[in-house]
Amino acid sequence: MAAKADINFQKDLFDAATNMRGSVAPADYKHYVLPLIFLRYLSNRYEMRKEEIDNLVKDPKSDWYASDEETQQIIKEDPDMYMSENVYVVPEESRWSYVLKNAKQPNIKEILDNAMKRLEEENPDLEGMLPRIFQGSNLPAENASGLIEIFSRDVFSTNDERSVDVLGRVYEYFISEFASTEGQRGGEFYTPYSVVSLLVRMLEPIKGTVFDPACGSGGMFIQSEEYSPRRHELSFYGQENVTTTARLGKMNVLLHGLNADMRLGNSLLDDKFPDLKADYVIANPPFNQDGWGADRISNDDPRLIGPVTNSNANYMWMQHFFHHLNESGSAGFVMANGAMTTNHKGERLVREWFIDNGYIDCIVALPDKLFLSTGIPCCLFFLSKNRDGKGEYRERQNEIMFIDARQKGSLVSRRQKALSEEEIADIAKVYHNFKFNSEKVVDVPGFCKIASLKQVKENDYTLTPGIYVGTKEIEDDGVPFSIKMEELRIELFEQFQESARLQEKIRKNLEGIL
């Protein structure tokens, strides 16, 4: 994979952009900033391709060479010359040069809305992605001009071949920062980077079809493509229920050079991909949805393994994921911890079915505070249809790998943790050894263990990793217990004495003040 551009200026860039917010509500501001980055990206790609075509028509060695200017112009204006390279045609009024030239005009918000409108008219598959919201907004015209100037910096110039990569990464950084500042609401469209990275590293999508029926801003697709050693050997399909989130996701994948089929709709009640069978399903669905519409699910719905309950959609999501796997596919997804132990009749029956039929591959207990949107303890479920020993995987139908990662992660802000690259690699390695090479599987007390289906059934079908991995062994340092206790007693009394001394000092200082 090509080296990524250096964009350590991104925090300063975000701070500068947010200072232009004016009276726009914080949760709505991303819908003004992110489309501008997208507009800049499309314009840059168009201008760069236009320059390539200009060189081609003038080069006698090129297949597109034309000796007269009229033919050259016809070729340069042919939309197929752009679309063949996955470049959108950008009309004059939508080009960044035109927007920048008019940035100080009092009607700049109208100009921006028209730029979005003309882009959609010229490129029908962008329809609905670029809403005209500037003119009717509370965003001051001078602040809109300020945003244009921010995204006109030299680092975004078409003269810098890194600009396209930079814009994609800036967009993704902005999504994560907007999500962070919005807290719970932000978690509705953004899954933290380290959680996505762990899912991707464990599933290892190399080639084939990736499906995310709760795709949000498209982060699962982007990290999957980056993980694959061979570019463009993965195809992506996604569904999202929230219109504004779907719009952000479509922009995000296009900014990263991906052509994902992302559709709008409620995955559980209106599956837009009923016949899709994927190699990988990877998702972070909404947790513990109640009143989600179970009564609208037909009894002969092909996805159903067992009954559904309107009080919680967790196991309907699982059945949806499983239905969309092909004959050797795997699914990895985030789930609330309650799904590992629930005894609600409908949910328990489905969990028992997955266990009895040997489809649950791995359960990972996650640290707290990983997510912006919820304080609910979470875990990862992995379902697989490749546990029979055929192909490249080893036979493991009568086993489940349990990983307890609750002690992993460290604080990256006052309220959020993240997993480090080393921790992600350690967890993924355990799972990969389980799938491919049993000789390398080592049970680590307090961290990981392979349990038999018999053990799981004896534990009342409970999938909580802590039950199976036990507690971490304490290393014996060779010091007798009696000596340790005496050392602790002395240390404790010394602390008591220091506490009394400090209290007396504080009392005297207070008397001096009074």
Side-chain angles (χ1 to χ4, degrees):
M1 184 171 62
K4 291 184 175 180
D6 178 12
I7 53 169
N8 52 14
F9 63 88
Q10 54 196 359
K11 184 181 184 303
D12 292 338
L13 197 68
F14 181 79
D15 291 342
T18 50
N19 287 338
M20 297 288 172
R21 184 170 64 84
S23 54
V24 175
D28 295 330
Y29 191 50
K30 61 181 175 290
H31 300 302
Y32 299 92
V33 175
L34 297 176
L36 285 179
I37 300 175
F38 187 58
L39 182 68
R40 177 61 152 145
Y41 168 84
L42 293 183
S43 184
N44 275 20
R45 291 206 68 200
Y46 173 80
E47 295 291 353
M48 293 166 78
R49 177 57 179 164
K50 184 180 177 184
E51 184 176 348
E52 287 178 359
I53 296 170
D54 190 55
N55 292 332
L56 287 172
V57 297
K58 294 177 180 177
D59 182 1
K61 296 180 181 178
S62 166
D63 292 338
W64 298 105
Y65 171 69
S67 57
D68 60 288
E69 292 186 5
E70 183 178 351
T71 305
Q72 289 178 0
Q73 194 62 31
I74 292 172
I75 296 173
K76 286 192 286 186
E77 293 177 358
D78 183 358
D80 289 341
M81 292 293 291
Y82 297 88
M83 298 306 291
S84 63
E85 295 295 321
N86 295 316
V87 175
Y88 287 96
V89 174
V90 180
E92 175 67 27
E93 307 95 315
S94 304
R95 294 173 197 167
W96 195 259
S97 56
Y98 179 87
V99 170
L100 179 60
K101 183 176 69 175
N102 290 282
K104 300 295 186 182
Q105 296 298 320
N107 66 333
I108 183 56
K109 295 199 294 182
E110 179 184 353
I111 290 170
L112 286 172
D113 279 349
N114 187 58
M116 306 297 179
K117 175 175 175 287
R118 290 288 295 117
L119 254 180
E120 287 192 1
E121 289 175 346
E122 197 73 34
N123 304 279
D125 54 337
L126 293 178
E127 184 177 356
M129 288 179 58
L130 299 164
R132 274 67 81 185
I133 60 174
F134 284 91
Q135 194 170 5
S137 74
N138 293 325
L139 183 71
E142 58 270 22
N143 289 20
S145 301
L147 286 172
I148 293 167
E149 290 181 1
I150 287 171
F151 299 121
S152 297
R153 295 184 181 183
D154 289 344
V155 71
F156 302 125
S157 169
T158 54
N159 293 326
D160 188 336
E161 62 182 17
R162 304 177 307 160
S163 66
V164 168
D165 180 42
V166 168
L167 283 161
R169 295 177 61 208
V170 165
Y171 185 98
E172 195 170 7
Y173 177 83
F174 272 41
I175 282 184
S176 69
E177 289 301 298
F178 279 127
S180 180
T181 57
E182 292 178 36
Q184 183 168 346
R185 182 171 174 179
E188 294 175 1
F189 63 87
Y190 180 78
T191 302
Y193 183 90
S194 69
V195 177
V196 180
S197 182
L198 179 58
L199 278 168
V200 169
R201 291 280 288 275
M202 292 182 75
L203 273 183
E204 295 190 295
I206 303 298
K207 61 181 180 179
T209 302
V210 177
F211 180 47
D212 181 356
C215 60
S217 58
M220 303 289 187
F221 298 151
I222 291 163
Q223 286 210 43
S224 293
E225 178 70 8
E226 289 180 350
Y227 180 82
S228 177
R230 299 185 291 271
R231 296 284 290 172
H232 306 307
E233 290 200 17
L234 290 170
S235 55
F236 301 100
Y237 299 85
Q239 188 165 338
E240 171 56 45
N241 193 36
V242 180
T243 302
T244 52
T245 301
R247 187 180 298 138
L248 297 181
K250 287 181 179 180
M251 289 186 209
N252 198 16
V253 296
L254 284 172
L255 275 157
H256 286 81
L258 303 184
N259 188 19
D261 184 351
M262 299 170 68
R263 302 179 187 179
L264 182 65
N266 185 314
S267 288
L268 299 186
L269 301 178
D270 183 20
D271 186 358
K272 299 296 186 183
F273 300 94
D275 300 320
L276 176 65
K277 299 296 182 182
D279 295 284
Y280 309 96
V281 172
I282 180 168
N284 175 21
F287 299 151
N288 299 337
Q289 289 175 290
D290 61 354
W292 58 274
D295 56 330
R296 294 169 57 187
I297 301 294
S298 169
N299 290 333
D300 60 359
D301 189 307
R303 298 173 295 176
L304 293 186
I305 291 166
V308 294
T309 168
N310 207 39
S311 63
N312 196 312
N314 291 345
Y315 271 86
M316 184 61 214
W317 278 110
M318 290 194 205
Q319 293 174 78
H320 185 74
F321 300 151
F322 187 75
H323 170 75
H324 282 289
L325 291 179
N326 63 25
E327 65 280 358
S328 61
S330 295
F333 49 90
V334 184
M335 192 50 64
N337 275 3
M340 298 187 292
T341 59
T342 177
N343 281 318
H344 186 286
K345 183 179 179 181
E347 296 172 320
R348 181 186 172 94
L349 284 173
V350 178
R351 186 170 80 248
E352 288 182 0
W353 187 92
F354 278 130
I355 293 170
D356 288 339
N357 288 277
Y359 288 117
I360 292 184
D361 209 27
C362 179
I363 304 289
V364 182
L366 294 175
D368 62 356
K369 296 183 179 179
L370 285 181
F371 294 86
L372 299 164
S373 57
T374 180
I376 299 171
C378 301
C379 59
L380 301 183
F381 270 67
F382 291 86
L383 306 177
S384 289
K385 291 186 176 181
N386 53 40
R387 289 162 47 87
D388 55 7
K390 296 177 182 178
E392 59 184 322
Y393 302 99
R394 77 177 187 88
E395 195 279 321
R396 58 198 192 284
Q397 277 183 310
N398 294 311
E399 302 171 336
I400 299 175
M401 168 58 76
F402 289 97
I403 301 174
D404 190 342
R406 288 176 296 172
Q407 303 306 312
K408 305 287 186 181
S410 56
L411 287 170
V412 291
S413 69
R414 181 176 56 85
R415 60 180 180 174
Q416 190 181 13
K417 288 182 180 178
L419 296 165
S420 69
E421 284 295 317
E422 292 76 15
E423 290 170 330
I424 290 169
D426 287 345
I427 296 168
K429 183 178 179 180
V430 168
Y431 182 48
H432 296 162
N433 287 343
F434 171 67
K435 287 196 298 183
F436 296 106
N437 193 338
S438 59
E439 294 179 1
K440 291 185 178 181
V441 175
V442 178
D443 292 341
V444 179
F447 177 53
C448 65
K449 181 178 178 61
I450 296 175
S452 67
L453 295 194
K454 182 174 182 293
Q455 289 176 289
V456 175
K457 293 173 185 179
E458 289 172 350
N459 280 294
D460 199 30
Y461 288 87
T462 297
L463 294 174
T464 306
I467 293 175
Y468 304 97
V469 306
T471 57
K472 184 177 181 179
E473 291 182 352
I474 300 174
E475 293 183 7
D476 185 1
D477 56 10
V479 180
F481 177 76
S482 58
I483 295 177
K484 285 184 179 179
M485 283 303 297
E486 180 60 19
E487 290 175 347
L488 290 171
R489 187 188 68 80
I490 293 171
E491 183 180 353
L492 180 62
F493 277 99
E494 287 176 348
Q495 290 174 348
F496 283 159
Q497 291 173 354
E498 178 65 10
S499 174
R501 185 187 69 78
L502 290 173
Q503 288 182 49
E504 179 64 18
K505 184 176 181 180
I506 291 170
R507 185 182 65 77
K508 289 181 178 180
N509 288 339
L510 287 173
E511 288 176 352
I513 294 172
L514 298 173

